[in-house]
Amino acid sequence: MRINKRTLFFFIPAMIALSACTDAEEEATTEKTGTVAAKDEFEGIEVLFNEDQFSDPRAADLLKEINICSDVQTDDKGNLMTPCTPDNFKLFPLKEGTPLEDGFILLVKANTGGFALRRILVFEREGGALVKVNGFIANLIGKKKKQGSNDDLLLRFIDKIEGSDVYYHCIFSWENGKYVFKTVEVIQEPAGNFSGIVKENVKDSVSQEIYKIITDNQMLF
């Protein structure tokens, strides 16, 4: 691992225990370990994709508008299409009080559309069309209210180092019409029962390294 865990982290109890995604590809590595939010202002988010219907009746139409799913089972070539159902997708408002049709944060379940991991897509309506402003190969595990702006997001990215899964819990803030990386707060290695909160005195340098890792791994798009 490129980061020396001994020098970077406090071995202290989690400030907040959050339930992570329970998709099959993560259950095996996160069972009984949970995830950690480093800021107690963040509200934990757990999405199980076990709802029978969308909480907002506009959700299915918005998903079809961005061409991520379909009402038909197969296309003209016989390829299976992804259904617009709540067991594949979860929508969050882009900003409190803003209607979903004006923008939303979309969490996509693992293995949806043949993609192995969870994804987050951020859309905002511009000139009458929904435009993607962010894409992350990550899980949404927390949100924090931010007065006068969109919520801050706590995202969990997965890396694999020497055969073990490692998780980076990162804060993203809304700036100039999109979410931008701010800091890494926690680095977690469930297989070794390790969860470390990044020390303040090294947070800037460690955050730069983690940002390079997630960009090199094409987890931002």
Side-chain angles (χ1 to χ4, degrees), residues 9 40 46 60 64 71 74 100 106 110 131-132 144 149 155 164 170 193-194 208 217:
F9 313 117
D40 56 6
E46 177 184 34
K64 285 182 281 189
D71 286 335
T74 59
L100 279 183
L106 174 63
V131 177
K132 181 177 76 68
K144 182 175 71 171
S149 183
L155 306 186
S164 296
C170 303
N193 295 316
F194 166 80
Q208 290 176 19
N217 288 345

Side-chain angles (χ1 to χ4, degrees), residues 22 108 155 162 165 181:
T22 56
V108 184
L155 306 186
E162 297 177 356
D165 288 331
F181 176 89

Side-chain angles (χ1 to χ4, degrees), residues 116-136:
L117 300 174
R118 287 194 176 194
R119 289 166 289 160
I120 300 163
L121 304 173
V122 182
F123 287 88
E124 187 170 32
R125 194 171 293 281
E126 300 177 5
L130 285 170
V131 177
K132 181 177 76 68
V133 297
N134 288 105
F136 309 96

Side-chain angles (χ1 to χ4, degrees), residues 23-71:
D23 300 347
E25 86 288 348
E26 289 202 14
E27 277 188 344
T29 55
T30 63
E31 185 178 7
K32 298 182 181 179
T33 64
T35 61
V36 180
K39 300 290 186 181
D40 56 6
E41 301 95 336
F42 276 88
E43 176 186 358
I45 293 175
E46 177 184 34
V47 179
L48 303 178
F49 292 104
N50 59 356
E51 298 176 354
D52 294 329
Q53 58 185 10
F54 290 113
S55 57
D56 192 305
R58 298 164 291 185
D61 287 338
L62 292 171
L63 292 171
K64 285 182 281 189
E65 183 178 345
I66 61 174
N67 295 314
I68 199 169
C69 59
S70 175
D71 286 335

Side-chain angles (χ1 to χ4, degrees), residues 133-201:
V133 297
N134 288 105
F136 309 96
I137 301 174
N139 188 29
L140 176 61
I141 61 173
K143 293 175 71 176
K144 182 175 71 171
K145 299 296 181 187
K146 193 169 183 180
Q147 183 130 13
S149 183
N150 298 21
D151 294 346
D152 283 349
L153 304 181
L154 186 64
L155 306 186
R156 187 176 83 162
F157 295 85
I158 303 177
D159 194 10
K160 191 172 286 290
I161 299 175
E162 297 177 356
S164 296
D165 288 331
V166 179
Y167 301 101
Y168 310 129
H169 297 194
C170 303
I171 294 175
F172 284 76
S173 294
W174 186 261
E175 294 181 5
N176 299 319
K178 65 178 181 179
Y179 277 103
V180 299
F181 176 89
K182 303 305 287 186
T183 60
V184 60
E185 299 294 324
V186 169
I187 297 178
Q188 181 186 38
E189 187 180 4
N193 295 316
F194 166 80
S195 184
I197 297 175
V198 180
K199 293 181 180 179
E200 289 295 331
N201 64 331

